[in-house]
Amino acid sequence: CLSNPSFMKQLILMTSDKGSLMEQIRSKYLSVYEGPSGNARKTMMYVTDLYQRIIWLINKWAISYKTVILIVLLTVLIQKQVS
């Protein structure tokens, strides 16, 4: 699955920047629930921030993994050309 280029491309696309989406969710939540309590507000901010960070990390990992795979493939191709 991880060696499938289309899977990695889809994973990178799915985990692209979600900052504006999280801001919309926060704004919608805060507008629907007028005056949420301090704890509810803190929890909402914490959960959306945590989600955003997890997605960011997965995206950075996927990009790094894809780069490593490309380097390995290029190395193998170069070695075959030299041999």
Side-chain angles (χ1 to χ4, degrees):
C1 192
L2 293 177
S3 60
N4 182 339
S6 62
F7 173 80
M8 293 305 292
K9 185 177 181 180
Q10 185 66 27
L11 181 61
I12 291 168
L13 181 64
M14 288 171 46
T15 58
S16 62
D17 185 20
K18 301 294 181 215
S20 59
L21 174 63
M22 291 298 99
E23 191 58 40
Q24 288 175 6
I25 291 171
R26 289 179 191 120
S27 295
K28 188 172 184 174
Y29 172 81
L30 295 175
S31 68
V32 171
Y33 299 102
E34 293 181 24
S37 71
N39 284 340
R41 184 183 193 98
K42 285 180 187 177
T43 301
M44 179 63 176
M45 297 303 280
Y46 175 77
V47 168
T48 55
D49 185 56
L50 189 58
Y51 173 80
Q52 191 173 350
R53 289 178 190 196
I54 291 168
I55 294 300
W56 182 85
L57 283 172
I58 293 170
N59 179 265
K60 296 306 171 198
W61 172 84
I63 291 170
S64 297
Y65 186 84
K66 182 180 173 186
T67 302
V68 168
I69 294 297
L70 288 173
I71 290 170
V72 168
L73 290 173
L74 285 173
T75 303
V76 169
L77 288 172
I78 290 170
Q79 286 178 349
K80 285 185 178 184
Q81 292 292 324
V82 172
S83 299

